[in-house]
Amino acid sequence: MAENGFLECPEPGGKYAVGQCDCLWQSASGHKIVVRIFYPVDKDEAVGCERAAWLPQTYGTEGITYAQAYARAILKVGVNSTLLGSLGFAPMMTRVRTRTLAGAPLSSACESLTPLVFSHGLVGTRSCYSTICVEIASHGFLVVAPEHSDGSAALNVLPDGTRIDFKHAPRKAFWAGSKKRIPKGFTSSLRPENQEEPMSQYTFRKKQLSQRVDEVTLVADCLEALNGDG
């Protein structure tokens, strides 16, 4: 906890300071993904650079938007989540600064960089695991943190204004409930083709996972292309 009473990110342990930038990457098929890049910076170049905000504030999105999104992801949309996001999360989260430097130049000491892709978990964002990503980057690595657009992120906003909120698993993924007869009659309801497809957390999340794998592959392909360009 910082002296001002707000959360403070720990200092990285590597020999480099760390810079960050947000980028939009796109596959050949047109799929777009926003990523946050953490990269090593020479400490003498870090003097005078401003520390970056923890919550995303690019592409026309303010930090409070993400704070409110975290509340909606926890409590779902409603009065309680609105109050928690605006009066609880926002005042705390929007004041947090990472140990990264906005727009700082890449370290001249790094002749080559080993890239790492850090994929966030449920209700995460590209900034959620900043402390871990910053620590890795401070040791001379290039860390790319994609913000997934499969509905697993607390919020995902693209430059064109496309917004994807966190997708809650449907109620029947937790409670199967009692089976209902099909209106066509008892005999017809016994036929396998007329049985309702069961819903489970596995079924619901598997589709998201498939898209997540595709997006991580997209990031890897972009990194390979950048490396090929020298």
Side-chain angles (χ1 to χ4, degrees):
M1 187 74 75
E3 293 181 0
N4 61 8
F6 290 94
L7 298 176
E8 181 67 281
C9 297
E11 288 276 4
K15 67 178 182 179
Y16 295 101
V18 178
Q20 78 168 44
C21 65
D22 288 339
C23 301
L24 176 70
W25 286 359
Q26 182 173 328
S27 69
S29 63
H31 187 79
K32 299 176 182 178
I33 187 168
V34 176
V35 300
R36 174 160 289 183
I37 301 175
F38 302 85
Y39 56 92
V41 173
D42 294 327
K43 288 190 173 181
D44 57 348
E45 293 284 351
V47 178
C49 291
E50 182 181 356
R51 286 174 59 184
W54 177 56
L55 292 178
Q57 295 184 355
T58 52
Y59 307 128
T61 304
E62 298 180 356
I64 188 174
T65 306
Y66 272 82
Q68 293 169 336
Y70 276 112
R72 285 194 301 274
I74 295 172
L75 297 178
K76 296 189 177 181
V77 178
V79 175
N80 290 336
S81 64
T82 300
L83 291 175
L84 177 62
S86 300
L87 303 180
F89 286 177
M92 176 178 65
M93 291 181 168
T94 55
R95 300 195 184 193
V96 177
R97 295 281 165 177
T98 67
R99 292 292 179 177
T100 60
L101 308 168
L106 177 68
S107 171
S108 58
C110 297
E111 295 183 0
S112 62
L113 293 171
T114 299
L116 295 173
V117 180
F118 195 103
S119 175
H120 65 74
L122 283 176
V123 199
T125 62
R126 64 185 184 272
S127 65
C128 188
Y129 299 91
S130 290
T131 296
I132 299 174
C133 295
V134 168
E135 177 64 29
I136 296 172
S138 75
H139 292 275
F141 293 90
L142 178 76
V143 183
V144 181
E147 189 168 83
H148 293 291
S149 60
D150 59 356
S152 65
L155 179 66
N156 174 241
V157 181
L158 298 178
D160 62 4
T162 300
R163 173 178 173 142
I164 302 172
D165 289 288
F166 178 75
K167 294 179 181 178
H168 293 271
R171 183 182 179 86
K172 61 183 178 180
F174 299 96
W175 296 280
S178 58
K179 291 187 177 181
K180 297 180 180 179
R181 291 185 177 180
I182 297 177
K184 293 181 179 179
F186 179 74
T187 303
S188 179
S189 69
L190 295 178
R191 296 174 182 170
E193 64 269 20
N194 290 333
Q195 295 295 314
E196 184 179 357
E197 285 293 326
M199 170 61 72
S200 66
Q201 280 276 24
Y202 172 79
T203 304
F204 182 75
R205 298 299 180 192
K206 183 180 179 182
K207 184 177 180 181
Q208 289 181 314
L209 180 60
S210 178
Q211 181 174 334
R212 177 179 289 249
V213 170
D214 289 341
E215 290 179 342
V216 171
T217 302
L218 188 163
V219 171
D221 290 342
C222 289
L223 286 169
E224 185 175 11
L226 289 171
N227 183 59
D229 289 339

